[in-house]
Amino acid sequence: MCAIIGVVARSPVNQILYDGLTVLQHRGQDAAGLVTAEGHSFHMHKGGGLVRDVFRTRDMRNLVGHMGIGHCRYPTAGSASSIAESQPFYVNSPFGITLGHNGNLVNSDQLRRELFAEDRRHVNTNSDSEVLLNVLAHEISDASQGNPRLTPDMIFTAVAGVHRRVKGAYAVVAMVAGYGLLAFRDPFGIRPLIIGRADTEKGVEFMVASESVALDTLGFKVMRDVAPGEGVLIDESGNFHARQCAGKTAHNPCIFEYVYLARPDSVIDGISVYESRRNMGKFLADKIQGMGLRDEIDVIIPIPDSSRPSALEVAAKLKKPYREGFIKNRYIGRTFIMPGQEMRRKSVRQKLNAMAVEFKDKNVLLVDDSIVRGTTSREIVNMARESGARKVFFASAAPPVRYPNVYGIDMPTRAELIANGRTHEEVAAAIGADAVIYQELDALIAAVRECNPAIERFDCSCFDGDYITGDVSPAYLAEIEASRADGESQTRLSSYQLDLGLSTVD
Ligand SMILES: O=P(O)(O)OC[C@H]1O[C@H](OP(=O)(O)OP(=O)(O)O)[C@H](O)[C@@H]1O
Ligand SMILES: NC(=O)CC[C@H](N)C(=O)O
Ligand SMILES: [Mg+2]
């Protein structure tokens, strides 16, 4: 779930891109990069760490031009430690193309082989996004047929070619040197992408971004979401073109965006993330009530940050007090998207601290948005007990996560998922809680769909093992499990790791 952003403006874009990436930082903390375009030249700066650590004033000064793209990385392919895999990627032929990708391809090995054997293209890293860029480059080359001037028709033909060859999840921003900004979304619309415009004195400006919060905060008005399979092209003069480039499309956004990934103040595919989380809380409260647990609970406590809207509704519906029992250190990033289990575990302790007064001699219901590896819940339950809680119940606004995600969330191995192969009672025992209450999948879907009934189906694969693109075989899952065992993504040195005292983490 990386962040992507693209802007075509009437004045320099470096600051607006930087600010946009900062607003989207929650989608990727491992690396960040910006590319701006000035005529036929690209200017690029990227590196490992948070946006504020990657860009210095001198780097910003070099990022000249009125058009640009940016990326924050949360790795799902290749390795977290590789700066070479930070994005955007660049390829010089044809024309000069640069690309940022959110998602994960499920046929990148096959594409890599095809690119080498048939298209004579070399992919230098293990990143699936570099594969995607090379497929796009090959398709643009084919569609342009040696013509030195590109047309929108040629570019959209190339995007159609990408859709035919590439399988998996991809929301993309790209630039073609001397031409313009291209954005497109996979035919299932798994990862989000939204377009906005700003009418300035100098003319219309456009922004494409992973989440609407970037548009809101930077003065752009939402136009609409990019449709699944659609290509959107804004040339350097600001002319806007859009076309459906896929033969067959469906609209099946990833439900985990609403559970955890996105900011609550974003609206994705017509669904307010905040409203959907509140709805999750209402359904969860019904379940708790139905289990007869209500009377045993003295107080409801959220696990900051993502569970707050759900926990508020649980408390309101159960008519129980809502208390802030954990105080969050605002300088520690999101733990779930950090690489390496040791770093995630240590970060939970440094990030959250218990307010003893809210726990002493009470039966507490802790509410989180999800339990994935159990890193957070295990530590939190422990803290609650140390603070004197009598009973600790743990509720998750999402169902048990039992299956790997292959579409851009780093949960590749079943073994690391705490609910895999465990009953609810066994999960409770594993995290040390008196009971665990999980949302039902039907209830989660209903909670999100209530905000936009036009979306008939979501990708819920990490909950039900049903992969929306239909081409994820058990053999493929076994392969990624073997290649992306958790230990492999642990070697990386960014400033916040060093802040945590993790100079070596493997
Ligand atoms: O079971 P786990 O593997 O621990 O993963 C689940 C936890 O990780 C996330 O929190 P995170 O700290 O990443 O972000 P947040 O501050 O947005 O809640 C999520 O909100 C859960 O609290
Ligand atoms: N989370 C993502 O969207 C990751 C993008 C890409 N697969 C990478 O690993 O860099
Ligand atoms: Mg959390």
Side-chain angles (χ1 to χ4, degrees), residues 297-506:
I297 297 164
D298 296 322
V299 63
I300 314 273
I301 294 179
I303 312 299
D305 266 328
S306 297
S307 73
R308 281 203 176 105
S310 304
L312 261 172
E313 286 302 329
V314 172
K317 206 152 180 203
L318 294 182
K319 298 197 172 56
K320 293 283 177 184
Y322 170 94
R323 294 282 185 269
E324 293 285 350
F326 292 102
I327 302 304
K328 185 180 158 186
N329 176 346
R330 68 181 74 205
Y331 301 103
I332 306 279
R334 295 183 109 184
T335 37
F336 172 71
I337 64 171
M338 287 177 182
Q341 186 57 12
E342 175 55 21
M343 180 169 172
R344 284 190 288 261
R345 202 193 56 74
K346 193 163 178 184
S347 298
V348 173
R349 277 281 171 169
Q350 295 191 358
K351 176 171 161 178
L352 296 169
N353 192 33
M355 295 279 289
V357 65
E358 296 297 356
F359 292 93
K360 190 140 180 44
D361 299 329
K362 289 182 188 161
N363 291 344
V364 297
L365 174 72
L366 307 180
V367 179
D368 208 347
D369 54 85
S370 57
I371 305 172
V372 183
R373 297 177 180 89
T375 325
T376 309
S377 40
R378 216 180 254 134
E379 296 292 334
I380 291 289
V381 171
N382 207 0
M383 284 187 224
R385 293 215 187 275
E386 282 169 7
S387 302
R390 260 204 316 260
K391 282 194 178 172
V392 182
F393 303 111
F394 203 102
S396 160
V401 175
R402 292 211 166 99
Y403 302 89
N405 186 285
V406 296
Y407 299 132
I409 311 171
D410 187 28
M411 9 167 145
T413 64
R414 273 161 283 194
E416 73 189 273
L417 304 172
I418 196 163
N420 175 57
R422 285 194 176 93
T423 62
H424 292 8
E425 291 71 29
E426 286 166 343
V427 172
I431 66 171
D434 291 280
V436 163
I437 306 105
Y438 279 111
Q439 184 90 274
E440 296 297 321
L441 181 55
D442 286 352
L444 171 64
I445 295 169
V448 185
R449 267 202 83 207
E450 216 169 81
C451 305
N452 182 5
I455 302 212
E456 286 173 6
R457 193 171 167 197
F458 294 86
D459 177 74
C460 301
S461 50
C462 59
F463 302 119
D464 62 7
D466 188 357
Y467 295 90
I468 209 86
T469 58
D471 39 27
V472 177
S473 66
Y476 170 76
L477 290 175
E479 216 174 280
I480 53 165
E481 279 197 356
S483 69
R484 280 191 61 80
D486 198 31
E488 289 208 358
S489 58
Q490 291 196 18
T491 42
R492 185 176 61 101
L493 293 176
S494 72
S495 57
Y496 70 86
Q497 262 181 305
L498 294 169
D499 290 346
L500 291 170
L502 292 164
S503 51
T504 52
V505 281
D506 50 349

Side-chain angles (χ1 to χ4, degrees), residues 78 82-85 89-91 112 115-116 121-134:
S82 173
I83 300 305
E85 288 169 5
F89 277 102
Y90 162 74
V91 71
R112 190 184 297 271
L115 281 166
F116 188 74
R121 283 186 170 269
H122 169 66
V123 177
N124 202 43
T125 69
N126 289 323
S127 165
D128 59 329
S129 311
E130 194 188 0
V131 169
L132 179 58
L133 168 59
N134 276 274

Side-chain angles (χ1 to χ4, degrees), residues 91-129:
V91 71
N92 70 346
S93 172
F95 305 102
I97 307 171
T98 179
L99 171 144
H101 165 218
N102 171 208
N104 194 63
L105 309 188
V106 298
N107 66 337
S108 58
D109 285 350
Q110 177 208 331
L111 288 169
R112 190 184 297 271
R113 285 192 294 272
E114 277 175 26
L115 281 166
F116 188 74
E118 292 160 32
D119 304 342
R120 298 283 182 265
R121 283 186 170 269
H122 169 66
V123 177
N124 202 43
T125 69
N126 289 323
S127 165
D128 59 329
S129 311

Side-chain angles (χ1 to χ4, degrees), residues 36 48 61 68 100 135 159 166 196 201 247 258 261 277 282 342 427:
T36 56
R61 254 191 234 120
V135 173
V159 175
V166 170
E201 278 170 10
Y258 304 100
L261 302 178
R277 287 184 190 165
K282 288 182 197 160
E342 175 55 21
V427 172

